[in-house]
Amino acid sequence: MDKDKRLTTAFGIPVDDDQNSRTAGPRGPVLMEDVHLLEKLAHFDRERIPERVVHAKGAGAHGYFEVTADVTKYTCADFLSQVGKRTEVFVRFSTVGGEKGSPDAARDPRGFAVKFYTAEGNYDFVGNNTPVFFIRDPLKFPDFIHTQKRHPATNLPDPDMFWDFLSLTPESIHQVTILFSDRGTPATYRHMNGYSSHTFQWYNAEGQTFWVQYHFKTDQGIRNMTREEAQAMCAKDPDHATRDLYEAIAAGDPPSWTLEMQILTPEQARDFKWDIFDITKVWPHSEVPPVTVGRLVLDRKPVNYFAEVEQSAFCPGSLVPGIAPSPDKMLQARLFSYHDTHIHRLGPNHHLIPVNAARNATGASYQRDGMMRVDDNGAGGPNYWPNSFGGPAPDAGYRRPPVKVSGQADRHAFSHPNDDFEQAGMLYRRVMSDADRANLVGNIVDHLSGAQPRLQRRQTALFYKADPDYGIRVARGLGLDPADVEKLAAMSPEERAAATAS
Ligand code: NDP
């Protein structure tokens, strides 16, 4: 038999029979000496790794990013240093709240994560298909996610939990308005945009700094499903977006996105109307016109889903020279939380898994040992710094520009004078078409009608505050009294909570 075709144990020992266990006589019992059977069962018993708490259901593909415009005056990032320069990427798209087997067509934000294998290490862009988020303080994140998941007693998605939290969290109104528009059910992963949502810092070779936001705009065009189409798709093909991505690439139709950046100098940022570190707000395009930077193309399918997609791990803290975090509180917490979850899910050496490993740079740290250390573990080289045995040394040339911070250490609430309803109102009044508004109201009524009436009233008051027409239409759809909603909208958050406490 051809040696390469021979079945072996995990350790390469030839297997003679993979259909009949070793037994004492033809009717059993099974013998402990069948180590091939024991190995096969023991490995099978451990096939599942911890499911991601969020973004559990996803699909991915390989490709490249190509620079199409000179941005060296804004950043010294090596992979952005030259027009025409290409960098290998791996991208993972996902839903957020559902489990690993949940439908791709669920109403949910979509994750949009890109790993750039640059010559100065791996750069992870970990965005969503929405430019804003529900909350802006990380202390609220675990609570928020609990409300989007299953009820502790019934183990069912629970409209009361969902709307109770959101109606007590007015800063969520902008994201709720996007989520309940038809952008909450994108037709496929190929037909949606990807946004950094957070502000990041770029700095150039002279140390000048800029505040930036990323927008990956789909070249396939935006396409969404209506509520009815999405519900039908959940039943017909729960994996439709995973299938669509795989099949488009297999058919030689690689999807692409154009990267546009919004860029502010620190001087512009100082006088900017919106708090640029508040993830619930966008930077209006008329005030900060986007600059085209490059193109992302996905042209290679994964060969093995588990190896490449399930084990891929992205961290907003994986930033290459030329790119730095901003003080955005949500981003600051994500810098910790993603790495922490990967250590839990994949282990301390997840950076050695091929999809996560640096490809075009050489990793050279003093981290050693740990579960699944599968390279030479630093061989006989020094495992401490400083050393005088030729170990890798820090390079002060890569120092980031300093960032000025000040203030009293305290639990500070957001205190920017701009209200949380204006941008949701702009979206409703100015950006949406009549059909978009009708679908938005219908989608909200369909979902919110499952919650208790007091929660319906409290949430509808928030829609009213974004735009009276918006609130009144939702109120009518739910059979609520518009005058009552208007009264609730005029109250302070505390008064509104008290008026709808039971
Ligand atoms: P613009 O008219 O310049 O841009 C409107 C943006 O809204 C476009 O990027 C468009 O995306 C996007 N959009 C259209 N329909 C929806 C929807 N149902 N949900 C979410 N986004 C949608 O407006 P401004 O920049 O002045 O912002 C006005 C409002 O537009 C904001 O309050 C915000 O809600 C929304 N928006 C703004 C973005 C920004 O970065 N400025 C980004 C995304 C949304 P596309 O061109 O891809 O169709």
Side-chain angles (χ1 to χ4, degrees):
M1 183 179 186
D2 182 350
K3 236 175 127 208
D4 295 342
K5 296 264 156 95
R6 190 184 280 157
L7 179 69
T8 73
T9 68
F11 298 101
I13 301 163
V15 171
D16 63 318
D17 182 345
D18 199 36
Q19 295 284 288
N20 301 296
S21 304
R22 282 180 73 80
T23 51
R27 300 182 68 200
V30 176
L31 298 174
M32 284 288 284
E33 68 176 37
D34 191 346
V35 290
H36 171 55
L37 171 67
L38 301 186
E39 178 192 283
K40 193 169 173 179
L41 291 179
H43 194 279
F44 175 74
D45 294 346
R46 292 163 178 79
E47 277 185 4
R48 292 291 169 270
I49 59 175
E51 183 174 293
R52 293 167 167 90
V53 187
V54 283
H55 297 275
K57 175 80 185 290
H62 302 267
Y64 63 88
F65 177 79
E66 182 171 335
V67 180
T68 56
D70 182 2
V71 285
T72 52
K73 67 177 172 191
Y74 301 118
T75 177
C76 57
D78 177 77
F79 78 105
L80 296 172
S81 62
Q82 226 182 319
V83 173
K85 187 162 188 160
R86 282 191 179 188
T87 300
E88 285 179 88
V89 300
F90 178 76
V91 172
R92 183 174 182 271
F93 302 113
S94 51
T95 51
V96 180
E99 298 89 357
K100 206 168 169 298
S102 59
D104 289 345
R107 180 171 306 284
D108 209 358
R110 303 290 187 269
F112 191 116
V114 186
K115 189 179 291 294
F116 297 78
Y117 299 98
T118 91
E120 290 185 331
N122 290 353
Y123 166 47
D124 290 347
F125 166 93
V126 200
N128 277 335
N129 72 327
T130 57
V132 293
F133 199 62
F134 299 90
I135 51 171
R136 57 189 162 207
D137 192 303
L139 211 43
K140 302 184 184 187
F141 188 78
D143 305 272
F144 163 64
I145 292 298
H146 288 169
T147 70
Q148 310 294 297
K149 296 244 178 203
R150 293 170 183 274
H151 187 275
T154 63
N155 200 36
L156 296 169
D158 191 276
D160 282 349
M161 282 164 53
F162 186 98
W163 291 108
D164 190 25
F165 181 88
L166 292 174
S167 63
L168 292 171
T169 310
E171 71 264 30
S172 64
I173 189 71
H174 194 183
Q175 175 78 326
V176 167
T177 301
I178 294 174
L179 180 66
F180 279 86
S181 77
D182 287 341
R183 292 212 178 194
T185 48
T188 76
Y189 290 135
R190 293 183 299 129
H191 295 91
M192 62 184 205
N193 297 335
Y195 302 90
S196 60
S197 314
H198 301 291
T199 295
F200 284 85
Q201 188 189 57
W202 273 11
Y203 56 90
N204 65 19
E206 283 74 49
Q208 291 168 308
T209 61
F210 304 87
W211 299 116
V212 301
Q213 294 214 338
Y214 298 60
H215 305 246
F216 284 97
K217 305 289 285 271
T218 171
D219 294 333
Q220 290 66 241
I222 294 280
R223 267 183 46 205
N224 302 311
M225 287 186 274
T226 62
R227 177 173 81 258
E228 294 77 9
E229 287 168 342
Q231 284 170 349
M233 187 60 86
C234 287
K236 184 172 158 232
D237 184 1
D239 307 308
H240 85 280
T242 306
R243 190 184 317 286
D244 172 84
L245 180 67
Y246 194 90
E247 290 181 350
I249 298 173
D253 182 19
S256 64
W257 286 260
T258 298
L259 173 60
E260 297 178 356
M261 301 296 297
Q262 287 186 295
I263 303 175
L264 284 175
T265 63
E267 296 71 38
Q268 288 170 320
R270 208 165 300 134
D271 304 324
F272 199 55
K273 172 174 174 189
W274 303 98
D275 182 338
I276 64 165
F277 305 131
D278 175 355
I279 193 175
T280 67
K281 306 294 182 300
V282 297
W283 303 354
H285 289 135
S286 53
E287 290 167 54
V288 194
V291 179
T292 299
V293 170
R295 190 160 167 258
L296 174 74
V297 179
L298 297 183
D299 59 358
R300 188 157 61 86
K301 317 176 258 96
V303 173
N304 184 279
Y305 182 85
F306 182 85
E308 294 154 69
V309 186
E310 186 62 6
Q311 292 198 113
S312 63
F314 301 82
C315 176
S318 276
L319 299 170
V320 289
I323 306 173
S326 75
D328 176 337
K329 299 176 193 187
M330 288 291 289
L331 173 60
Q332 292 281 319
R334 291 179 78 207
L335 301 178
F336 155 75
S337 198
Y338 281 65
H339 186 65
D340 186 51
T341 199
H342 300 326
I343 291 173
H344 163 65
R345 196 170 67 86
L346 300 164
N349 287 310
H350 64 272
H351 59 286
L352 299 177
I353 296 170
V355 70
N356 299 324
R359 239 172 241 185
N360 297 311
T362 311
S365 76
Y366 290 101
Q367 272 90 277
R368 294 290 188 272
D369 307 352
M371 292 269 273
M372 298 307 295
R373 183 82 205 205
V374 293
D375 64 351
D376 71 356
N377 193 30
N383 58 1
Y384 58 92
W385 176 261
N387 68 70
S388 52
F389 291 94
D395 182 345
Y398 285 107
R399 193 161 156 258
R400 282 179 187 166
V403 179
K404 190 164 181 219
V405 293
S406 64
Q408 304 269 1
D410 204 347
R411 295 194 181 278
H412 295 282
F414 257 79
S415 58
H416 201 270
N418 273 311
D419 83 11
D420 288 323
F421 301 95
E422 191 173 334
Q423 291 200 349
M426 273 158 58
L427 177 62
Y428 180 82
R429 277 187 302 277
R430 202 170 53 68
V431 177
M432 288 186 176
S433 65
D434 285 344
D436 291 339
R437 281 187 284 267
N439 290 2
L440 169 72
V441 170
N443 295 340
I444 291 170
V445 169
D446 181 66
H447 197 289
L448 185 51
S449 58
Q452 296 177 16
R454 67 190 178 96
L455 305 179
Q456 295 179 14
R457 290 168 58 223
R458 194 199 290 155
Q459 179 64 38
T460 305
L462 301 187
F463 297 132
Y464 186 96
K465 285 175 75 70
D467 187 284
D469 176 68
Y470 184 9
I472 288 168
R473 286 174 72 176
V474 173
R476 291 212 174 108
L478 291 167
L480 301 177
D481 174 7
D484 171 60
V485 167
E486 185 182 352
K487 218 166 77 194
L488 285 169
M491 294 178 182
S492 71
E494 295 73 25
E495 288 167 340
R496 196 160 46 243
T500 53
S502 57

